[in-house]
Every structure is written in structure tokens, then in C-alpha cells.
């Protein structure tokens, strides 16, 4: 075992053996914005929000938020893994949503299946039916996105929208464009913040590598425990989040510096304690074990491919022993890729693999700030200076 892995497991051991009694007696720091939901936050910061329910063809009921504006400037925002619509309003008046709304855009904010707002289904109960959790980003791209996009186009009476996706929130558009290519024409432009598609393990560094390498073992444990939902409200890790990450001082050290900066890249100037303690009330939300496993498969197999069930089940399901690779040449929508140099989850070599195969990349931009990391795209303090000008320019030019 490498030294790095030893350190990692030691950290996990320490974290999971913290004296919770003592911790629970010390003061928690929970700002008001940590307790408000999307509608509460958007209303507090001066926006008018409508809530919509969208039903997918496989029965999931998705919450879609709408901040009305000019219908010719319709934009859909999609969050990343373990996240929700809240991510786009965490910074209050300095959030992407606020910037778009005040520039007159008609903004729709999605929540994909399994997250707090979209943990509902017409027939399946997420608490008791394991099959509710039988999905990965494939189904999010192939079912959630089409349902949400068609709903918005119908409501607004327009033929096209622009989209902004963060992290797995842009990955799902590559699935959509390749498996349901008729949707390419419904998208004027996709702005990919922190583009995620290829996750080749070779291009990652510690500790992201360790997370991927230990993934299959963790998956077996979860399977044995019959845990199909990862990081659900009542899980042990969420209990740790609520008791440890909310500790004044200690919470920031352990969870912001110890987890976020390790996995997403360090940038303390952009992610100060106040916003961290707000975020902890909103992040993470749940996803499926299968979604996480699918990401790990992509990383270890170095292919952007459908879920691998193993040879026999693949044969039954796909009529082939190995799962189909997503054909990125079919993703003909215009794509702008915005990348942080310090983003540990999107090493430039992996983004290049995506960029070279997409037929219609209109912009490939490495953010000027050398410390720009994965979370600065949504939570950064100075997004209005570093990021929004690029977003506004792109939207203005291609919509
Ligand atoms: C947000 O919170 C308000 C007030 O607690 C509640 O009425 C509303 O239903 C919540 N909305 C969602 C989508 O959870």
C-alpha cells in the first residue's frame, strides 16, 4: 500500500472515530441560509420562483424551479453529482442564478432523480423499493433531461434553449446527445462548467485516485448492506456531516480543507467559512450506488461507456458482452468547455479526450485564475469577476 493510501485510511479512521459526544456539546454554526430551501433562498434574494413537477417516461417526479424572464433567452441549469438546484443560489445575490435573472434570462433550474427535491416516483417508494435506485447518469441523460427540456420548451412556446451544466450536470448532456440525438437541435448551446466525461484514472492524482481505487470494495460493502441510496438524509455519513462539519472552526478544517479541497482542488480565498457553513445545509444530497459505480467503471475502464453489468447480463441487456461506448460524434450541439487549471476532478488530459471527439466545440477556455478549481464554478466568491463574464458572452453570442 502506498504512503498516500495509508494516510488516507488513517484520516478515514480518525474521522469515523471522533468523540461525537464531546463534539455534540460544542457550538454548531448554522447560518440562516443553510436552513432555507431553494425557494426560500431565491425569494430572500429578490427573485420570483415558480415550482413545477415534471414526470419522466419511467415515472420519476422531478422538481423544476423557474425564475421567469425573457422567453427568447431561456436557460436550463443542471447541477452536479450529490448536488441540487440549491447550488446555483448558494451565493445569494452573487450567484449564477441571480446574475442570469438580473440580465433578463428566463431561468429553469433542474433537480435530477434521487436528489432531495426529486426523491419521488409515481409507483416506487425510494425508502422501500430498491428499484427506485436502479439508475445511473445514463438514465439521467436519457430520461430526465428529455422530460425537463420538452417541458420547458412547451411551457415557454420556444423551439430551443441554452443549457449550463456543472460537473455531472454536463456529462448527462453527452449521454443525451449520443443516445437521443434528436435533442441536439433543441439546445442552442451547452456551457460545460468543469467538464466531466472521460475519467481516466491515469490522469488523476491522489486522493481522487484512491477514491476510485477503493470504489469497487466500498460498492461491495454497500451492496452487502443493501444500501442502494448513497448519502441519503438518514445515512451515517449525513449524521457525521450534521454533527462534525457544522462545528465552528473544526468543521471547516475537517470538511472544507479535509474533503472539498482534497478532491476538488484547494482555493481557500474563493471558499471562505461563511459560504462553507451555508453549503453544508444543502450539500450533499443523495444519489444511487449504481451512479457512483458507473463513474468508477468509466474511470477504471478508460472508456465513456454504458453501465457494465458483467458479460452475462450485458449479453442479455445489450446483446453484446461489453457495454456500448457512447458515440460522442453524435453530440452535435454547440459546446463551450470552461476548465479550471486547479480542478483535480477535470485534469486537462481527460478534458482533451472529450474535446477531440465532440464535433462542435465552440469554445475551450482555461480559466485565467490558476487556482480555479471544481467548486469555484458554482460556489466561488468572485465568480462575478472570473466566470460570469465568460458565461454572459457565450450566451449572448450563441443564443
Ligand atoms: C420550501 O420551504 C417552504 C417553507 O418551509 C415550503 O413551504 C416549500 O414547500 C418548500 N419547497 C420545496 C420545494 O421544498
Amino acid at each position: 500500500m502506498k504512503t498516500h493510501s495509508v494516510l488516507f485510511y488513517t484520516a478515514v479512521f480518525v474521522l469515523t472515530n471522533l468523540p461525537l459526544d464531546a463534539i455534540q456539546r460544542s457550538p454548531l454554526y448554522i447560518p440562516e441560509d443553510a436552513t432555507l430551501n431553494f425557494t426560500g433562498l431565491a425569494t430572500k434574494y429578490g427573485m420570483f420562483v415558480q415550482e413545477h413537477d415534471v414526470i419522466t417516461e419511467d415515472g420519476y417526479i422531478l422538481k423544476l424551479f423557474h425564475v421567469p424572464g425573457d422567453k427568447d433567452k431561456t436557460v436550463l441549469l443542471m447541477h452536479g453529482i450529490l448536488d441540487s438546484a440549491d447550488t446555483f443560489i448558494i451565493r445569494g445575490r452573487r450567484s449564477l442564478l441571480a446574475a442570469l435573472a438580473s440580465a433578463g434570462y428566463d431561468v429553469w433550474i433542474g433537480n435530477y432523480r434521487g436528489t432531495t427535491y426529486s426523491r419521488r416516483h409515481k409507483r416506487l417508494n425510494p425508502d422501500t423499493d430498491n428499484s427506485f435506485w436502479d439508475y445511473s447518469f445514463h438514465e439521467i441523460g436519457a430520461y430526465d433531461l428529455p422530460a425537463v427540456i420538452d417541458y420547458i420548451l412547451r411551457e415557454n412556446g420556444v423551439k430551443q434553449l441554452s443549457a449550463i451544466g456543472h460537473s455531472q450536470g454536463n456529462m448527462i448532456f453527452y449521454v443525451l446527445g449520443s443516445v437521443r440525438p434528436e435533442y441536439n437541435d433543441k439546445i442552442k448551446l451547452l456551457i460545460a462548467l468543469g467538464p466531466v466525461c472521460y475519467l481516466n484514472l491515469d490522469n488523476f492524482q491522489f486522493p481522487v485516485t484512491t477514491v476510485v481505487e477503493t470504489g469497487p470494495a466500498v460498492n461491495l460493502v454497500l451492496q452487502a448492506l443493501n444500501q442502494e441510496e448513497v448519502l441519503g438524509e438518514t445515512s451515517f455519513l449525513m449524521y457525521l456531516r450534521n454533527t462534525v462539519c457544522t462545528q465552528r472552526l473544526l468543521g471547516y478544517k475537517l470538511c472544507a480543507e479535509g474533503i472539498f479541497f482534497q478532491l476538488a482542488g484547494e482555493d481557500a480565498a474563493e471558499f471562505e467559512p461563511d459560504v462553507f457553513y451555508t453549503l453544508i445545509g444543502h450539500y450533499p444530497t443523495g444519489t444511487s450506488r449504481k451512479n457512483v459505480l458507473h463513474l468508477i467503471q468509466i474511470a477504471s475502464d478508460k472508456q465513456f461507456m454504458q453501465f457494465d453489468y458483467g458479460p452475462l447480463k450485458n449479453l442479455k441487456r445489450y446483446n453484446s458482452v461489453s457495454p456500448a461506448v457512447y458515440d460522442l460524434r453524435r453530440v452535435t450541439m454547440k459546446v463551450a468547455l470552461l476548465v479550471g487549471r486547479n480542478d483535480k476532478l477535470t485534469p486537462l488530459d481527460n478534458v482533451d479526450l472529450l474535446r477531440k471527439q465532440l464535433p462542435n466545440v465552440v469554445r475551450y477556455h482555461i480559466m485565467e485564475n490558476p487556482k480555479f478549481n471544481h467548486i469555484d464554478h458554482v460556489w466561488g466568491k468572485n465568480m462575478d469577476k472570473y466566470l460570469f463574464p465568460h458565461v454572459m458572452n457565450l450566451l449572448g453570442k450563441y443564443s
Side-chain angles (χ1 to χ4, degrees):
M1 212 161 39
K2 294 185 212 120
T3 336
H4 272 144
S5 307
V6 175
L7 285 174
F8 180 77
Y9 285 112
T10 312
V12 171
F13 178 81
V14 171
L15 273 174
T16 48
N17 287 278
L18 287 169
L20 289 178
D21 278 359
I23 279 174
Q24 275 175 326
R25 269 181 270 114
S26 72
L28 303 183
Y29 180 38
I30 301 172
E32 184 191 50
D33 285 7
T35 64
L36 294 173
N37 62 21
F38 182 90
T39 310
L41 284 172
T43 308
K44 173 172 171 182
Y45 293 108
M47 280 160 266
F48 169 69
V49 185
Q50 289 173 329
E51 297 183 6
H52 298 255
D53 286 335
V54 177
I55 300 178
T56 68
E57 62 190 79
D58 56 349
Y60 288 82
I61 306 171
L62 309 178
K63 183 65 76 187
L64 179 62
F65 298 111
H66 182 205
V67 176
D70 177 354
K71 292 186 182 9
D72 290 328
K73 294 163 78 178
T74 301
V75 182
L76 165 65
L77 308 182
M78 289 305 296
H79 59 81
I81 191 169
L82 301 175
D83 213 346
S84 73
D86 296 355
T87 207
F88 296 110
I89 186 66
I90 280 297
R91 277 281 175 190
R93 283 182 225 289
R94 302 183 72 179
S95 300
L96 179 59
L97 172 60
L100 291 169
S102 64
Y105 283 91
D106 188 89
V107 193
W108 298 76
I109 311 94
N111 291 283
Y112 42 72
R113 59 184 65 189
T115 59
T116 343
Y117 296 117
S118 298
R119 209 174 165 282
R120 289 182 301 160
H121 192 280
K122 267 163 60 184
R123 297 175 307 277
L124 302 171
N125 177 346
D127 293 323
T128 50
D129 294 316
N130 274 353
S131 47
F132 179 93
W133 301 101
D134 186 13
Y135 70 83
S136 74
F137 61 81
H138 177 85
E139 285 75 16
I140 299 173
Y143 301 117
D144 290 5
L145 277 182
V148 164
I149 290 170
D150 287 336
Y151 185 94
I152 298 171
L153 297 183
R154 205 169 42 240
E155 283 282 310
N156 274 7
V158 292
K159 290 201 158 51
Q160 285 190 310
L161 51 75
S162 303
I164 303 177
H166 175 235
S167 194
Q168 189 168 251
N170 61 66
M171 181 187 226
I172 53 181
F173 283 89
Y174 316 133
V175 173
L176 174 74
S178 67
V179 302
R180 301 188 76 168
E182 68 276 18
Y183 278 85
N184 284 297
D185 290 338
K186 302 189 183 197
I187 294 161
K188 286 181 191 170
L189 169 71
L190 166 68
I191 300 179
L193 306 177
V196 174
C197 180
Y198 286 93
L199 299 169
N200 286 11
L201 188 54
D202 304 341
N203 298 330
F204 284 124
Q205 291 171 1
F206 173 84
V208 180
T209 41
T210 309
V211 172
V212 175
E213 281 162 356
T214 51
V218 174
N219 173 61
L220 288 178
V221 173
L222 291 175
Q223 227 171 350
L225 295 172
N226 198 23
Q227 284 282 316
E228 294 299 316
E229 180 181 18
V230 176
L231 290 168
E233 289 293 334
T234 55
S235 66
F236 178 65
L237 283 174
M238 289 300 262
Y239 168 76
L240 280 185
R241 178 197 76 167
N242 296 340
T243 48
V244 178
C245 299
T246 47
Q247 297 287 312
R248 199 181 276 278
L249 305 177
L250 183 68
Y252 187 78
K253 281 244 163 283
L254 286 174
C255 306
E257 294 174 9
I259 301 175
F260 283 120
F261 290 165
Q262 298 307 313
L263 295 175
E266 193 274 335
D267 192 3
E270 289 293 307
F271 191 56
E272 73 284 18
D274 268 355
V275 78
F276 163 75
Y277 287 106
T278 296
L279 181 82
I280 278 307
H282 303 265
Y283 190 97
T285 84
T287 189
S288 66
R289 180 183 61 78
K290 187 174 178 181
N291 187 28
V292 179
L293 183 58
H294 195 176
L295 292 170
I296 286 166
Q297 291 178 349
I298 303 274
S300 343
D301 291 8
K302 301 167 194 171
Q303 296 263 36
F304 186 47
M305 57 175 200
Q306 295 200 27
F307 189 83
D308 189 350
Y309 291 92
L312 284 180
K313 259 184 108 178
N314 286 342
L315 203 55
K316 256 177 78 181
R317 217 180 151 106
Y318 304 129
N319 224 353
S320 144
V321 284
S322 45
V325 169
Y326 294 106
D327 186 355
L328 291 173
R329 289 166 309 180
R330 297 175 75 170
V331 186
T332 55
M333 67 185 83
K334 291 190 182 76
V335 181
L337 303 166
L338 304 189
V339 197
R341 212 183 284 282
N342 183 35
D343 184 340
K344 289 194 177 180
L345 294 173
T346 66
L348 297 185
D349 288 341
N350 280 348
V351 180
D352 272 341
L353 291 168
L354 167 68
R355 174 163 72 115
K356 286 186 182 134
Q357 289 190 63
L358 287 176
N360 207 354
V361 174
V362 294
R363 187 92 198 272
Y364 171 65
H365 183 75
I366 299 179
M367 305 303 289
E368 289 80 0
N369 173 9
K371 296 204 82 176
F372 202 96
N373 66 13
H374 200 65
I375 55 183
D376 288 342
H377 288 286
V378 277
W379 308 332
K381 185 174 189 176
N382 293 294
M383 289 184 291
D384 52 339
K385 297 193 194 78
Y386 291 124
L387 179 66
F388 299 168
H390 294 298
V391 171
M392 296 298 174
N393 274 335
L394 285 163
L395 289 176
K397 189 163 174 195
Y398 295 101
S399 56

